[in-house]
Amino acid sequence: MKYCENILETIGHTPLVKLHRVSAMLPCPVFAKVEFFNPGNSIKDRMAVKMVEVAEQKGLLKPGGTIIEGTSGNTGMGLALAAVIKGYKCIFTTTDKQSKEKVDILKAVGAEVIVCPTNVEPEDPRSYYSVSKRLAQEIPNSFYVNQYDNLANRDAHYEQTGPEIWEQTDGKITHLVVATGTGGTITGTGKFLKEKNPDIQVWAIDSYGSLLKKYFETGQIDMSEVYPYITEGIGEDFVPQNYDMSVIDRFVKVTDKDGAVMARRITKEEGIFVGYSAGSAMAGLLQLKEHLKPTDVVVVIFHDHGSRYVGKVYNDQWMMERGFLDVKTVKDVVSSRRNQPLVSITPDDKVSEAIAKMRKFDIEHLPVIQGAELVGSVSENGLFNRLIDDANLKDASVKQVMQAPFPVVTENTPIEKLSMYINKENGAVLTKDESGDYHIVTKYDIIQALGR
């Protein structure tokens, strides 16, 4: 029988996968180290278990103890798995910019999660750093992991990730690309690889709003570099002790939009369902393409799984609201409204009921539907003109005042072509989705979508 004694024994030995479409513009082969094959679906499993084991060896974590940590989600998952197997409790603090999926997953494996504000200084008592430190002081028999300054973090990657990549590439790797946050992955992995071959280039991908790139270049902590950003899991507003900047050869920053768009591209074009930081890492590599030659062999770390971001990066409305996704078709407009159900009226309803629905749902246009058939339409402007002439019409049936049905267009109709249908006389169109449900698109919807 071949089996693992527990789930922790499945950590590591993740696959190296060659990329094709998203790296097509680069002159050399690019390989992804796909870390979501770890049981907690991220590279953080490696260092989480290592930090727990070192704490046990040093007597810092005792039986029945409580693990406390500030985490963006992935480290917490690794720690929670270790806690389940080893019999510890977990309390994690995180920021309100992290995806709901990450918080829910941590709770699912038995952790208590405290959500703290993002836009405060690390020293602020409300920050997730400060709250986790305070809890560790207040709770008996607890261990504050501190992944940022705990050097077991980078040791895990020196002992595991680096050797795996060296072996998988037969020592041919020339470039390591990492979207970096705590510094453990890039420092530990990079240090091992450079000991094998000092010519290997280690490239760090940072986020706008983080001070790491500026610190790498100047050695100065410049807080003017720090401002809120959306990308999760990378960048910092301080310099963790896990960093050894001498291991890193180059830093480049990637925008929130470029990272998110690239993550979606990797998923759709390579079939690898990746998280936000993988998109940032790949986008950063493309920004550095002029520094590559055909004989190079590049390895990019794909840190975690896309399931952690289905409510954000993989949600069309979330992307559109932030200007990350261009609105091109009728389907895009409908998706941006979370596919709200169609509000309609029947021809036998009273005009007063139509007016009441318009007020209740704050809309100007109503399709008139008899059974499953579109038989007409009413609009606020049309009703206004009719009621001015005859106020008693409010007690009449809708069929007495309705106009022609709204035109029906396909979901893939480009927005630019809607001007053929939406005009002064007609203020809306209808479209039918794959389930057969109708949705309405108005002038206002188009203006809102194009204005984002």
Side-chain angles (χ1 to χ4, degrees):
M1 292 173 59
K2 294 181 180 180
Y3 66 96
C4 295
E5 188 64 36
N6 59 62
I7 196 65
L8 302 184
E9 293 183 2
T10 68
I11 294 173
H13 305 289
T14 55
L16 198 66
V17 179
K18 187 175 183 179
L19 302 179
H20 297 274
R21 295 180 178 86
V22 296
S23 60
M25 67 175 63
L26 300 177
C28 59
V30 178
F31 300 88
K33 182 68 166 161
V34 187
E35 286 293 304
F36 62 64
F37 277 85
N38 286 304
N41 295 137
S42 90
I43 196 169
K44 299 292 190 177
D45 288 359
R46 297 176 182 268
M47 59 83 147
V49 174
K50 177 70 175 179
M51 291 187 296
V52 168
E53 290 174 346
V54 170
E56 290 173 331
Q57 293 164 8
K58 293 182 177 180
L60 301 174
L61 186 55
K62 299 178 177 63
T66 300
I67 297 172
I68 297 176
E69 178 63 335
T71 172
S72 60
N74 288 329
T75 300
M77 184 60 177
L79 291 170
L81 292 180
V84 169
I85 300 302
K86 293 172 175 288
Y88 301 116
K89 300 175 184 176
C90 285
I91 300 177
F92 300 132
T93 61
T94 191
T95 66
D96 53 17
K97 84 169 184 178
Q98 306 306 325
S99 66
K100 181 178 182 295
E101 289 79 11
K102 284 184 177 180
V103 174
D104 289 343
I105 289 170
L106 291 177
K107 291 179 179 179
V109 289
E112 178 183 345
V113 183
I114 300 171
V115 180
C116 304
T118 300
N119 301 326
V120 294
E121 299 293 332
E123 298 78 16
D124 189 298
R126 298 169 296 167
S127 78
Y128 80 117
Y129 308 115
S130 298
V131 173
S132 58
K133 290 178 182 177
R134 176 177 56 79
L135 290 173
Q137 294 171 350
E138 295 175 351
I139 298 175
N141 193 20
S142 64
F143 169 61
Y144 173 48
V145 178
N146 189 13
Q147 61 180 308
Y148 304 94
D149 301 330
N150 188 330
L151 300 188
N153 177 348
R154 69 188 192 187
D155 289 345
H157 299 290
Y158 179 86
E159 296 169 2
Q160 302 172 29
T161 317
E164 285 180 27
I165 292 173
W166 181 257
E167 180 182 353
Q168 288 171 316
T169 61
D170 289 332
K172 296 176 182 178
I173 178 175
T174 61
H175 294 75
L176 173 71
V177 180
V178 183
T180 190
T182 67
T185 301
I186 195 165
T187 300
T189 309
K191 185 173 185 292
F192 176 88
L193 293 173
K194 280 182 175 287
E195 287 178 1
K196 289 292 187 179
N197 178 2
D199 294 331
I200 291 175
Q201 290 283 295
V202 176
W203 290 352
I205 311 304
D206 198 12
S207 181
Y208 286 94
S210 163
L211 55 69
L212 293 175
K213 179 176 184 290
K214 181 72 172 287
Y215 180 80
F216 168 77
E217 294 170 343
T218 67
Q220 302 296 316
I221 295 178
D222 184 357
M223 294 307 294
S224 67
E225 291 282 303
V226 177
Y227 54 85
Y229 57 96
I230 299 171
T231 307
E232 296 182 36
I234 72 171
E236 295 295 349
D237 50 8
F238 69 105
V239 182
Q241 291 179 23
N242 268 293
Y243 276 97
D244 178 352
M245 293 296 180
S246 68
V247 172
I248 301 171
D249 297 289
R250 192 182 297 274
F251 251 95
V252 66
K253 286 191 175 186
V254 172
T255 66
D256 292 329
K257 178 179 179 179
D258 288 347
V261 171
M262 179 54 71
R264 290 167 66 108
R265 278 194 61 196
I266 293 168
T267 298
K268 289 183 178 180
E269 298 177 30
E270 303 288 348
I272 307 173
F273 192 21
V274 297
Y276 208 152
S277 58
S280 298
M282 193 66 209
L285 173 60
L286 295 185
Q287 290 176 199
L288 295 168
K289 62 182 178 180
E290 69 273 13
H291 300 286
L292 296 170
K293 56 186 183 299
T295 55
D296 289 330
V297 174
V298 179
V299 174
V300 186
I301 301 292
F302 282 1
H303 302 71
D304 66 353
H305 198 255
S307 59
R308 305 261 161 91
Y309 308 88
V310 292
K312 290 190 173 184
V313 172
Y314 294 101
N315 179 284
D316 287 352
Q317 181 180 11
W318 186 90
M319 291 285 286
M320 280 189 250
E321 286 173 350
R322 287 151 185 81
F324 294 175
L325 195 64
D326 296 331
V327 180
K328 299 177 181 178
T329 66
V330 168
K331 185 176 182 178
D332 293 331
V333 177
V334 172
S335 295
S336 72
R337 299 187 317 225
R338 292 188 184 273
N339 296 326
Q340 294 170 349
L342 181 69
V343 180
S344 63
I345 199 88
T346 74
D348 296 321
D349 288 329
K350 291 185 177 181
V351 171
S352 58
E353 293 177 69
I355 295 171
K357 282 193 174 184
M358 289 179 176
R359 287 175 178 168
K360 179 180 178 180
F361 295 102
D362 192 22
I363 55 179
E364 297 181 14
H365 306 279
L366 281 174
V368 183
I369 299 178
Q370 181 86 59
E373 184 181 357
L374 300 170
V375 296
S377 66
V378 292
S379 67
E380 187 178 70
N381 189 51
L383 288 178
F384 174 80
N385 292 331
R386 296 291 299 273
L387 289 170
I388 286 293
D389 295 334
D390 183 2
N392 292 324
L393 275 177
K394 67 178 182 294
D395 296 319
S397 62
V398 167
K399 62 188 173 188
Q400 292 179 257
V401 299
M402 68 183 186
Q403 299 167 288
F406 296 125
V408 179
V409 300
T410 62
E411 281 192 301
N412 60 2
T413 302
I415 286 179
E416 298 80 28
K417 290 191 176 181
L418 290 186
S419 59
M420 299 168 53
Y421 306 97
I422 297 180
N423 47 49
K424 186 176 180 180
E425 290 72 35
N426 177 66
V429 297
L430 292 173
T431 190
K432 187 181 285 188
D433 63 22
E434 295 175 354
S435 348
D437 296 324
Y438 281 107
H439 301 274
I440 191 167
V441 176
T442 67
K443 289 181 185 177
Y444 178 77
D445 292 324
I446 297 170
I447 291 170
Q448 285 290 99
L450 293 177
R452 290 191 181 98

